Amino acid sequence: MYTFDLMPEIKYSKDYMNSITIKKDFAIFTQQPELSYLDSAATSLTPRCVVDKIIEYYEQYNANIARGVYDLSEKATAEYEESRRATATFLGAQEEEIIFTSGTTMSLNMVAHGLQHTLKDDANIVVTAMEHHANYVPWQRMSRKLLVESQKDATKGDDIFRVVDITSDGAIDTNDLAKKIDKNTAIFALTHVSNVLGTINPVKDLVVQARKINPNIIVIVDAAQSAPHQKINVRDLDCDFLALSTHKMYGPTGVGILYGKKERLEQLEPFITGGEMVARVSHKKTTYKPLPYRLEAGTPHIAGVIAFKEAITYITNISFDVIHAHEQELISYALTELSEQFGDNITIYGPQKPYDRTSLLSFTLGNIHPHDIASILNTESHIAVRAGQHCAMPLHIDTLGIPATARASFSIYNDKNDVDTLIVGLKKVQEVFMK
Amino acid sequence: MNIYQEQIMEHFHHPSHHGTLDAPTHSYSANNPTCGDEINIDMIINDDVITKVAFNGEGCAISQATASMLLEKIADKKITILQKITVEDITDLIGVELSPNRLKCALLSLETAQKALSHPTDSSLT
Ligand SMILES: Cc1ncc(COP(=O)(O)O)c(C=O)c1O
């Protein structure tokens, strides 16, 4: 049974936010008023202001950036750079530290590829057991390349690529972290929030702990699941790199951010080369532009980048305080109700206390396969939840020892009715399997 | 449309040919990485006839039920029967329309069974 206390300092008031009003900002609810969208952790819905901005670009100043001398291109370039400024302010970074990419996955791959040349032969890489594949596979591959380059025998693989355990409550095991990180640890990659457990990791403290062992360690933070829910200040976290995707925070798909401390970005070997990132190209030699352009080759998703600024404004207008209070209220309600209604039949993974997690919960229901749960919720109740391993196969198989989970994630446009709908839906799922 | 029809639930709760074989001549395992379905199929093939066949694994009702239905169809049949089974045959077999994502669940057992034909075990060589 689930027991916990409500976060004391949250005094949630109904005037804080009214999901009925918020729903008006999202055109999809006009088309599908019945929809209970509980998969915002995969991708959030997009408010009208963001969609309108995309249209504005295509209808009013549709031109490539940084190359045309005509008005349209100047306007597009100005809007694009305005987005960079807004993002920098939003994250507490400098403008030249913000690189536009195609998403978290791209951002993390750019770092892994770009830092490969800095690894010494005796280096090792540390990740955690709760990583999304995007923050796991690039580092594992980096370690395998190092293994080959340093001509170590293949059995040394585990020593080069180290995975920090998690506790039974779904937190990073700091004792294990102290064992896995040593003076030769070059890279420590961790997620800010787990996309399966919902755990909010104390990144700032972990960075301090890691730097105490090795002051030169490069810390990479996957902020894909935290950026939609809480204020991030990269200076405060003091990480070296941070990655996020705009489509999980009310922005468009196909756009991501890579933040890096300036001196760290300078170290990156560009993952992609070509147009727009070069200073001079000749038959003999190519030199690159300064940051941030050096890491932005080719034509980017211009409309998407420009529209992300609207997503930032949208979030800022509501404010993270209100978003957090609303989401905490929902996740607390969901945890209580689900465990009351389904008792021992439901297993909810991750931290026991709602304020240790964001607004998502992964669960299993009896021995019903999560895929069947999601399928029946969809057809019978218009509920969208995710089922499977959520791109975290090592966490499911190696750590939790389960084949899959179902995941419900809540956002600003959800309310208690969605939780109630979910409960009724899950009872229908049980009925189908009782027969 | 509710895909959890009686026939599917019946096969899910009481699958045919469920388990493993002692000395299979052919065996193959596959998974569906998006949802975590896993299946292993063992066969004993004698003179191009599938004399024994069994599956085990974990997965959703659709993947488990289709495996059961498929194995009923190919047990004691020539391997050419299995080789000729198509996607349409599987959708006819289960009798409900599936979305592209759920179709992958239904097709996992067919893919695995067909691949098993080209994966002889060590015991088939002795
Ligand atoms: C924690 C985490 N990291 C990385 C990603 C990958 O994001 P994207 O697919 O936008 O690159 C996701 C999204 O699924 C995620 O949840």
Side-chain angles (χ1 to χ4, degrees):
Chain A
M1 221 25 207
Y2 229 77
T3 51
F4 53 81
D5 330 304
L6 257 177
M7 194 172 184
E9 61 264 40
I10 293 183
K11 287 191 205 66
Y12 180 80
S13 127
K14 273 275 170 292
D15 322 328
Y16 255 9
M17 192 155 75
N18 181 339
S19 73
I20 307 288
T21 332
I22 292 274
K23 274 197 160 88
K24 293 213 174 86
D25 297 338
F26 295 81
I28 205 162
F29 291 118
T30 320
Q31 314 275 338
Q32 305 193 39
E34 301 276 276
L35 173 68
S36 274
Y37 185 74
L38 303 183
D39 199 17
S40 299
T43 196
S44 59
L45 300 177
T46 318
R48 217 169 247 129
C49 58
V50 172
V51 178
D52 285 347
K53 194 73 182 177
I54 294 173
I55 296 170
E56 179 188 294
Y57 163 77
Y58 285 112
E59 290 187 347
Q60 295 182 28
Y61 41 91
N62 188 163
N64 214 323
I65 52 165
R67 28 199 122 180
V69 290
Y70 46 89
D71 290 351
L72 286 190
S73 176
E74 299 283 12
K75 169 71 175 159
T77 309
E79 289 276 345
Y80 189 89
E81 290 305 323
E82 191 55 48
S83 248
R84 196 189 308 276
R85 255 191 298 287
T87 308
T89 310
F90 186 67
L91 297 175
Q94 290 167 24
E95 272 171 60
E96 58 199 351
E97 294 175 323
I98 299 298
I99 312 296
F100 289 116
T101 70
S102 64
T104 305
T105 305
M106 178 58 96
S107 299
L108 293 166
N109 273 279
M110 283 166 62
V111 179
H113 173 90
L115 289 177
Q116 184 88 40
H117 72 102
T118 66
L119 293 185
K120 302 209 171 75
D121 274 0
D122 54 1
N124 65 70
I125 296 164
V126 174
V127 302
T128 84
M130 63 168 91
E131 298 311 315
H132 185 281
H133 295 161
N135 201 28
Y136 190 96
V137 183
W139 310 115
Q140 192 179 42
R141 182 172 71 160
M142 189 185 198
S143 76
R144 294 303 180 261
K145 282 190 197 161
L146 179 64
L147 194 69
V148 173
E149 279 163 19
S150 61
Q151 298 181 334
K152 288 207 179 102
D153 88 71
T155 58
K156 291 281 193 298
D158 288 349
D159 194 41
I160 297 184
F161 182 69
R162 304 175 180 181
V163 183
V164 178
D165 292 337
I166 59 173
T167 65
S168 57
D169 197 37
I172 288 179
D173 181 344
T174 47
N175 292 326
D176 194 49
L177 180 72
K179 276 184 229 149
K180 298 271 160 71
I181 292 185
D182 62 26
K183 291 221 152 30
N184 293 327
T185 305
I187 307 264
F188 175 31
L190 81 160
T191 193
H192 196 177
V193 164
S194 159
N195 69 320
V196 177
L197 305 169
T199 320
I200 304 170
N201 290 318
V203 168
K204 192 178 166 177
D205 298 345
L206 297 173
V207 171
V208 171
Q209 191 190 344
R211 291 240 169 82
K212 264 191 199 137
I213 307 170
N214 177 7
N216 299 320
I217 197 166
I218 300 178
V219 182
I220 295 104
V221 176
D222 175 353
Q225 291 295 344
S226 58
H229 307 287
Q230 67 184 80
K231 180 88 196 141
I232 289 178
N233 185 303
V234 289
R235 292 275 175 272
D236 185 50
L237 293 179
D238 197 26
C239 53
D240 295 277
F241 293 99
L242 181 135
L244 60 83
S245 295
T246 65
H247 70 88
K248 292 188 199 282
M249 45 197 305
Y250 316 110
T253 59
V255 179
I257 306 294
L258 171 62
Y259 154 81
K261 283 182 182 166
K262 194 166 172 236
E263 62 276 18
R264 289 299 186 196
L265 287 173
E266 300 281 11
Q267 277 183 296
L268 293 186
E269 170 75 22
F271 186 37
I272 301 172
T273 56
E276 280 310 297
M277 54 83 71
V278 291
R280 283 187 85 89
V281 181
S282 74
H283 290 324
K284 291 203 165 40
K285 182 178 169 184
T286 294
T287 52
Y288 302 147
K289 272 190 189 158
L291 289 172
Y293 311 104
R294 194 169 71 87
L295 297 169
E296 291 180 3
T299 300
H301 181 0
I302 301 171
V305 168
I306 290 173
F308 177 51
K309 187 176 65 217
E310 294 304 314
I312 292 178
T313 308
Y314 187 75
I315 290 173
T316 315
N317 285 346
I318 297 176
S319 93
F320 273 120
D321 285 346
V322 170
I323 292 174
H324 185 251
H326 178 78
E327 291 179 345
Q328 277 291 314
E329 163 103 352
L330 274 184
I331 193 73
S332 304
Y333 181 68
L335 290 170
T336 318
E337 286 298 307
L338 284 169
S339 48
E340 248 170 45
Q341 301 282 335
F342 297 98
D344 290 342
N345 272 322
I346 198 165
T347 307
I348 299 173
Y349 296 88
Q352 294 282 312
K353 300 200 169 54
Y355 49 86
D356 286 337
R357 53 156 87 220
T358 52
S359 53
L360 68 83
L361 59 93
S362 297
F363 63 97
T364 49
L365 189 65
N367 52 12
I368 306 172
H369 194 279
H371 222 158
D372 293 320
I373 297 175
S375 220
I376 297 168
L377 288 178
N378 172 55
T379 44
E380 300 287 313
S381 316
H382 298 287
I383 300 173
V385 299
R386 178 95 185 258
Q389 297 161 341
H390 325 298
C391 297
M393 212 160 160
L395 174 64
H396 278 85
I397 309 292
D398 298 337
T399 304
L400 302 174
I402 46 172
T405 50
R407 181 184 71 189
S409 48
F410 303 94
S411 183
I412 50 169
Y413 35 71
N414 296 119
D415 54 30
K416 287 186 177 173
N417 288 332
D418 291 311
V419 178
D420 297 338
T421 311
L422 176 65
I423 287 168
V424 174
L426 288 174
K427 294 206 163 145
K428 285 189 192 153
V429 173
Q430 284 184 317
E431 270 167 36
V432 172
F433 276 81
M434 226 116 76
K435 280 183 209 143
Chain B
M1 158 127 189
N2 181 7
I3 54 175
Y4 296 86
Q5 303 290 328
E6 214 168 294
Q7 185 205 8
I8 289 181
M9 294 314 284
E10 183 56 31
H11 273 275
F12 173 67
H13 287 301
H14 310 286
S16 308
H17 302 279
H18 191 264
T20 54
L21 298 182
D22 264 349
T25 60
H26 292 71
S27 181
Y28 194 72
S29 301
N31 73 329
N32 178 346
T34 45
C35 57
D37 287 355
E38 270 182 323
I39 192 166
N40 170 72
I41 295 182
D42 289 345
M43 293 177 185
I44 294 176
I45 300 177
N46 256 327
D47 288 338
D48 284 351
V49 174
I50 303 167
T51 56
K52 273 193 175 160
V53 61
F55 81 98
N56 67 14
E58 275 179 289
C60 62
I62 302 298
S63 77
Q64 300 292 297
T66 1
S68 165
M69 291 187 236
L70 172 72
L71 267 49
E72 280 186 355
K73 218 176 145 72
I74 61 170
D76 281 323
K77 300 277 161 42
K78 285 208 152 154
I79 56 171
T80 48
I81 302 265
L82 170 57
Q83 282 162 338
K84 283 191 196 137
I85 294 178
T86 63
V87 175
E88 288 71 40
D89 294 334
I90 296 290
T91 41
D92 287 351
L93 194 62
I94 50 184
V96 291
E97 207 159 313
L98 294 176
S99 65
N101 269 331
R102 294 316 303 270
L103 191 59
K104 284 187 207 152
C105 307
L107 294 178
L108 185 62
S109 52
L110 176 64
E111 262 177 54
T112 310
Q114 289 179 336
K115 284 204 177 125
L117 294 178
S118 55
H119 285 82
T121 61
D122 292 345
S123 57
S124 70
L125 304 170
T126 52

